[in-house]
Each structure stands twice: as C-alpha cells, then as structure tokens.
C-alpha cells in the first residue's frame, strides 16, 4: 500500500523563545523559517524571554509576548559561560544550574497558556550524570521530570551522552538528534583529498562508551572501525573522575590512513589528544576529530601544540553551544552550523508532521558522498 503524505495545518502560532546566550543561533533559525514561509523582513518568530535579576542574584522570568495559543520552541544553551549577571555588585558567569533555573522561570512565565511547549536543549543539562553507580544523585533524570511536570511536551537534544536517560520520562516526547550528516558535509567541504573508502579512511572510537555513534558512521560510510579501551584507576578520584592510566587500541593497522575520531564532546580534550598522538606515532596519515560539543574547559593551548606538531589536522564541533571568538579563529578548527537543521525540525513539528526522515539521514549522507566522489565537490 502506498504511503499517505499527510500535510497538517500549524499546531499553533509559531514562537522561537531565545534564552540568554542563544541569540545568535536563534536569529539564524528565524532567518530560515522566515525564508521558507515567505514572511516579510520586518517579521520575526523570535520571542525574547528575559530573566531580570535582583541585587542578591535572585531572578524572575518575564515573557514579552502573549502566551495564549503559541506553539513555543525554547532554545536553551546551559553551557554558555559567556553570559553573566550581577550579584552583590559582582559580575558572575552563569553556570549550567543558573541557565536551567532561568529556563524553568520562562516556562513558568507562560502560565500554562501556551498550546504546546518544546524545549530544544542541544547539550543535555547534567547529561553526564545519567545513572547511579553509588549513593549519588541522578540529576539528568530529575531535570527531565521537572520539565515535563511543568508542562513541557517535547524535549529535543543532540547526541545525548546516554540516550537511555529518556526512560525517566517514558510517556513524554524525547528526541535525541545526531549531527552525522552535517559533520560529514563539513569534512568534505573543508578538507582536500578525502577518500571515504576502507583503504584510505577509518573511524576510531576514543572509548567503549562511544562505540554506538562510531558504528553508525562506519556502517553508513562503509569504513573500518577501531576502538580505544581506557584503563582507569578506580581507586583514585581527580577533578571528579577516575584518571586514565593507559589507552589500548583495538583495530586494524592505521598506517597511511586518514582517521576520524568521533565523540559526543571535547571537555578538556586530554584523552582525545593522547589518542591522536598515539595513532600518529602508529603511522596515521591525518587525524580529524568530530565532536558535537566543544567545551574546551582547559583552553586551546594543548590543541595549538598538537596541531603545530602535526598530531591533529582538523577539529570539527557544532555551533549548538557557545563557541568563544578565539576558537573560531583557530587554523585547526572548523565550526559546523546546525541552525538550518534546527529550523527544519521546528518547521516540521509546528505543522505536526513526522520528523523520522530528519532523524535518520542515511540517504542524504550517501547522496552527498556519491556526489563528492563523482565531482570532487558538494
């Protein structure tokens, strides 16, 4: 039986609610939506959510727009440390906890009048505290439950550290989106002489936890797969984690091959850089790093050093979270724009249509690789 092409009317009046620190990507999403819907230049779907602070640092949420009947999509970057507020006369950078509190304040400001609220939180708040291994809190699960209890119908995140955390809210919408297509497209656009076949290129997972996303890259592109096993010292805790004592590589010979190291995030980057140096010493040709989120909590000096030594060639991260201006100027860095993809998701959901095809980009990946192989460009 032929499938039916359903075209629905908008679920409600579209509103993009930009939390502090999301102004840039919200404007880009707004641009695409206005272009597709033929809106005049003076129009905008963006509604600003403000959280003014008292002198003590306390705050309240204010929505400068009517809430009734809106199909609202709240964009929130909980990891934008460039946003500050004043507390007792001091300029304080906003922590993830501060951003999450402000998000709840804006949801509360809707007062239950919106037709539907969707939270787009690219990097999931407390996503790394997703399971209990000792007598400890389960912060991510609690945060998700808080949001749905406040009336949020859908939560959209990207490359969740462990997507099984959606079991905390089994009766509510939770979509874990990947940036695979955009990463591959950025690689083909920004690096010369890339040959995506098993003789020339290999996918490498930096640890066993990241094998799922690497298997996807390997399967779609038809590339061999390798993995590093992290041997940790579980008797010691340093900076909140068990230190890595050694990396053991499991995979084929890497000599003469371009290697793509894939992970969900770069925190300090220490582990990724150590792996890159090891692989380069084993004879790898070029090292490319794919990470959805570039946190760079210890700065860029180590990356500069490894690039100068030829141990890494290019690092790709998205604009889903804050990227410092200094990072964007680095020769080794490539920023992957995800605004159009977010706009596609919003446009489709607002018309109450399925996003299944958007979440599974296999055909688009194969088409772009085929075009590149035939023409040398995309």
């Amino acid at each position: 039986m032929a499938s039916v092409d359903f075209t629905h009317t908008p679920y409600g009046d579209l509103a993009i609610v930009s939390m502090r620190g999301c102004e840039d990507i919200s404007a880009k999403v707004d641009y695409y939506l206005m272009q597709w819907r033929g809106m005049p230049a003076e129009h905008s779907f963006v509604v600003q959510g403000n959280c003014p602070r008292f002198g003590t640092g306390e705050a309240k949420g204010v929505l400068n727009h009517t809430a009734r009947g809106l199909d609202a999509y709240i964009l929130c970057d909980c990891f934008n440390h460039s946003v500050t507020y004043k507390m007792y006369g001091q300029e304080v950078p906003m922590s993830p906890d501060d951003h999450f509190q402000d998000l709840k304040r804006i949801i509360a400001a809707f007062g239950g009048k919106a037709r539907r609220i969707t939270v787009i939180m690219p990097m999931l708040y407390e996503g790394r505290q997703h399971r209990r291994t000792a007598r400890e809190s389960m912060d991510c699960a609690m945060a998700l439950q808080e949001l749905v209890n406040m009336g949020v119908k859908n939560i959209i995140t990207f490359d969740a550290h462990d997507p099984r955390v959606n079991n905390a809210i089994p009766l509510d919408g939770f979509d874990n989106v990947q940036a695979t297509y955009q990463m591959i497209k950025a690689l083909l656009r920004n690096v010369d002489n890339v040959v995506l076949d098993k003789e020339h290129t290999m996918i490498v997972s930096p640890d066993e936890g990241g094998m799922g996303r690497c298997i996807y890259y390997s399967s779609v592109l038809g590339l061999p797969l390798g993995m590093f096993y992290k041997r940790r010292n579980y008797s010691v805790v340093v900076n909140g984690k068990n230190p890595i004592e050694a990396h053991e590589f499991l995979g084929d010979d890497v000599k003469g091959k371009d290697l793509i190291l894939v992970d969900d995030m770069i925190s300090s980057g220490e582990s990724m850089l150590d792996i890159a140096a090891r692989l380069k010493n084993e004879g790898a040709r070029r090292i490319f790093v794919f990470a959805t989120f570039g946190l760079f909590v210890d700065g860029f000096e180590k990356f500069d050093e490894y690039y100068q030594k030829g141990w890494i060639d290019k690092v790709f991260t998205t604009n889903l979270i804050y990227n410092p201006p200094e990072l964007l100027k680095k020769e080794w860095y490539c920023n992957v724009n995800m605004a159009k993809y977010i706009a596609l998701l919003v446009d489709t959901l607002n018309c109450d249509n399925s996003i299944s095809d958007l979440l599974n980009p296999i055909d688009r990946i194969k088409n772009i690789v085929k075009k590149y192989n035939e023409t040398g460009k995309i």
Side-chain angles (χ1 to χ4, degrees):
M1 181 183 293
S3 61
V4 180
D5 181 20
F6 291 103
T7 303
H8 297 147
T9 55
Y11 189 87
D13 292 336
L14 177 59
I16 306 296
V17 183
S18 176
M19 299 297 296
R20 285 189 70 195
C22 291
E23 293 83 1
D24 182 59
I25 194 166
S26 295
K28 291 174 180 174
V29 170
D30 187 43
Y31 168 80
Y32 286 115
L33 290 169
M34 289 195 297
Q35 292 290 312
W36 297 336
R37 299 193 175 191
M39 305 301 291
E42 63 273 12
H43 184 83
S44 175
F45 291 111
V46 175
V47 174
Q48 196 67 42
N50 297 317
C51 292
R53 299 263 172 176
F54 300 100
T56 57
E58 298 167 288
K60 63 178 179 180
V62 179
L63 195 67
N64 299 322
H65 192 282
T66 180
R68 196 175 299 277
L70 291 182
D71 184 19
Y73 296 81
I74 306 176
L75 271 166
C76 179
D77 176 10
C78 288
F79 298 86
N80 191 331
H81 57 277
S82 72
V83 181
T84 63
Y85 63 91
K86 280 198 172 181
M87 183 172 69
Y88 289 96
Q90 300 179 65
E91 205 71 29
V92 181
M94 286 185 68
S95 70
D97 291 344
D98 292 322
H99 282 290
F100 188 68
Q101 285 299 117
D102 276 3
L103 170 63
K104 292 192 292 182
R105 291 180 176 111
I106 292 301
I107 294 169
F110 275 93
K113 301 299 189 295
R115 185 161 292 176
R116 180 173 64 184
I117 295 177
T118 298
V119 169
I120 301 176
M121 185 184 292
M123 186 170 176
L124 194 59
Y125 171 73
E126 290 288 3
R128 285 181 283 182
Q129 188 53 31
H130 58 93
R131 63 181 177 180
R132 176 178 288 151
T133 56
R135 194 173 298 280
E136 58 189 18
S137 59
M138 294 180 67
D139 294 49
C140 190
M142 291 191 298
L144 294 177
Q145 289 181 356
E146 276 190 276
L147 292 179
V148 299
N149 288 338
M150 293 185 73
V152 173
K153 296 300 181 186
N154 300 300
I155 297 169
I156 298 175
T157 192
F158 285 76
D159 208 351
H161 195 66
D162 188 344
R164 290 174 297 182
V165 75
N166 71 345
N167 292 332
I169 50 169
L171 301 180
D172 296 275
F174 181 96
D175 290 298
N176 180 40
V177 187
Q178 302 296 326
T180 312
Y181 171 73
Q182 288 78 11
M183 286 289 189
I184 295 170
K185 189 175 181 180
L187 173 69
L188 298 179
R189 274 188 172 167
N190 293 279
V191 179
D192 295 329
N193 304 318
V194 175
V195 182
L196 295 177
D197 64 27
K198 56 186 178 182
E199 284 78 30
H200 297 87
T201 308
M202 185 176 183
I203 304 293
V204 177
S205 175
D207 55 41
E208 61 275 21
M211 279 297 286
R213 63 180 63 88
C214 290
I215 288 171
Y216 185 84
Y217 274 94
S218 174
S219 302
V220 172
L221 297 173
L223 301 178
L225 176 63
M227 184 195 82
F228 271 90
Y229 167 69
K230 292 179 181 177
R231 193 169 76 244
R232 294 182 180 271
N233 184 351
Y234 287 98
S235 65
V236 180
V237 177
V238 179
N239 293 329
K241 57 187 179 182
N242 303 111
I244 299 167
E245 290 189 332
H247 289 103
E248 306 292 342
F249 182 65
L250 307 174
D252 297 334
D253 186 13
V254 301
K255 192 171 183 178
K257 290 182 178 179
D258 287 339
L259 304 182
I260 302 174
L261 277 61
V262 182
D263 210 351
D264 58 335
M265 71 181 74
I266 294 172
S267 184
S268 66
E270 179 183 355
S271 176
M272 189 72 81
L273 291 173
D274 180 43
I275 288 169
R278 284 276 307 275
L279 292 169
K280 204 71 176 181
N281 289 334
E282 293 293 325
R285 181 177 173 233
R286 293 182 294 186
I287 305 284
F288 307 120
V289 177
F290 285 4
T292 307
F293 308 109
L295 299 172
F296 300 101
V297 297
D298 290 340
F300 314 116
E301 293 79 9
K302 203 80 173 174
F303 284 85
D304 291 335
E305 176 191 341
Y306 276 54
Y307 178 69
Q308 292 299 326
K309 291 179 177 178
W311 292 346
I312 58 169
D313 292 86
K314 210 77 170 175
V315 176
F316 297 81
T317 73
T318 70
N319 65 337
L320 291 168
I321 62 171
Y322 171 68
N323 302 129
E326 181 187 356
L327 173 63
L328 300 176
K329 297 175 184 177
K330 298 293 183 182
E331 192 175 350
W332 47 262
Y333 179 72
C334 182
N335 188 250
V336 181
N337 186 7
M338 299 295 292
K340 188 175 183 180
Y341 194 19
I342 294 176
L344 278 168
L345 292 168
V346 170
D347 190 50
T348 305
L349 288 171
N350 179 237
C351 292
D352 224 19
N353 289 322
S354 172
I355 60 172
S356 296
D357 289 341
L358 293 176
L359 298 180
N360 190 9
I362 290 177
D363 290 337
R364 284 181 289 150
I365 292 171
K366 289 186 174 179
N367 288 337
I368 198 172
V369 171
K370 181 181 178 183
K371 182 180 177 182
Y372 179 83
N373 290 337
E374 291 174 350
T375 65
K377 57 185 180 180
I378 58 173

